[in-house]
Amino acid sequence: MMTMQFFLVRHAVKEKAVGNVDITMEGISQAQKTAQYFDHMPITALISSPLQRAISTASYISQVTGAAVQVDQRLRERVNWGDLPEQTFQEFVEMWDRCTMEPHYIPPIGDSAHEAGERLFLLLMALINQYPKSSNIVMITHGGLITDYLTNFFPESILNKLRSDFILQQSQLVFECSITKLSYDGNTFSIDQFASTKHLQ
């Protein structure tokens, strides 16, 4: 049976500053190692969040694999520090944590965790209808969006097999340039790999 493979990649380490920041020198090294991971894989589509840290990460994969970068708004984070004018980092963290613990809470700007997870699910379904069943889709996105999708669409019992206390720990689980691999067999999604960083070592 042919399956579609989706590789959800968190962007590389970003600059510690407010706004739509780029990746750091450490992040560039991560992105280059991630590009090597995909070097010998036939990539059907390479899709990036519109935020600069994701686009930069995707560009390194594109340089090595030859896959053109597509930008899709549905891969953006639920909210980005700097979206709400004059919001301090502490205020941003408090808002973020509330969204994480209360998935249906709608923040002053951006999406609830539930809305963000639904957004990624709808993109996945659109890609399933757009590309052949044997496709390999690489998606450069954000840690929060990845866990928002997983906590919305997989039972907690399955998530806890990936990491204990997944729901409570979710904000610390998806490291920069880690790869989460999903398979779709025509009926259901399965999680083949969660937040792997083996390619960075």
Side-chain angles (χ1 to χ4, degrees):
M1 180 184 296
M2 288 190 297
T3 60
M4 290 189 75
Q5 311 286 344
F6 295 92
F7 299 85
L8 305 180
V9 182
R10 185 184 175 186
H11 61 80
V13 170
K14 66 176 182 176
E15 298 169 352
K16 296 184 183 301
V18 66
N20 188 17
V21 298
D22 210 336
I23 61 177
T24 64
M25 292 302 296
E26 178 187 1
I28 290 172
S29 176
Q30 289 180 328
Q32 290 171 333
K33 290 177 181 177
T34 305
Q36 291 301 317
Y37 174 89
F38 291 111
D39 186 19
H40 301 294
M41 181 185 300
I43 296 177
T44 311
L46 172 60
I47 310 171
S48 173
S49 156
L51 292 178
Q52 186 59 47
R53 54 192 182 268
I55 292 175
S56 293
T57 304
S59 71
Y60 284 95
I61 299 173
S62 176
Q63 289 170 22
V64 169
T65 64
V69 179
Q70 305 174 42
V71 176
D72 196 298
Q73 293 288 333
R74 288 169 289 187
L75 285 177
R76 70 187 186 277
E77 189 63 286
R78 73 169 86 124
V79 66
N80 189 57
W81 182 34
D83 290 348
L84 191 62
E86 300 183 5
Q87 185 183 46
T88 68
F89 183 66
Q90 181 60 36
E91 290 170 338
F92 171 77
V93 169
E94 291 172 357
M95 181 181 73
W96 180 272
D97 289 345
R98 181 175 178 184
C99 287
T100 300
M101 292 298 100
E102 302 175 32
H104 291 276
Y105 166 70
I106 299 176
I109 195 165
D111 296 327
S112 69
H114 177 79
E115 290 170 332
E118 180 79 10
R119 169 161 41 85
L120 178 51
F121 171 75
L122 292 174
L123 174 57
L124 291 170
M125 297 309 296
L127 295 171
I128 285 168
N129 291 323
Q130 181 178 355
Y131 291 104
K133 293 179 179 178
S134 57
S135 296
N136 295 311
I137 312 290
V138 179
M139 308 166 80
I140 313 303
T141 184
H142 306 269
L145 187 65
I146 293 170
T147 54
D148 286 343
Y149 164 71
L150 295 177
T151 55
N152 272 284
F153 290 95
F154 288 87
E156 189 171 353
S157 58
I158 290 179
L159 299 179
N160 285 339
K161 291 179 180 178
L162 303 174
R163 298 289 189 278
S164 60
D165 295 324
F166 188 101
I167 301 297
L168 292 177
Q169 301 296 325
Q170 60 183 286
S171 294
Q172 287 78 46
L173 297 179
V174 182
F175 296 100
E176 288 89 350
C177 273
S178 64
I179 300 173
T180 296
K181 181 183 175 185
L182 305 175
S183 294
Y184 182 74
D185 65 4
N187 292 299
T188 59
F189 285 97
S190 60
I191 306 169
D192 297 342
Q193 173 179 293
F194 175 68
S196 174
T197 56
K198 291 180 181 178
H199 59 288
L200 301 177
Q201 298 168 7

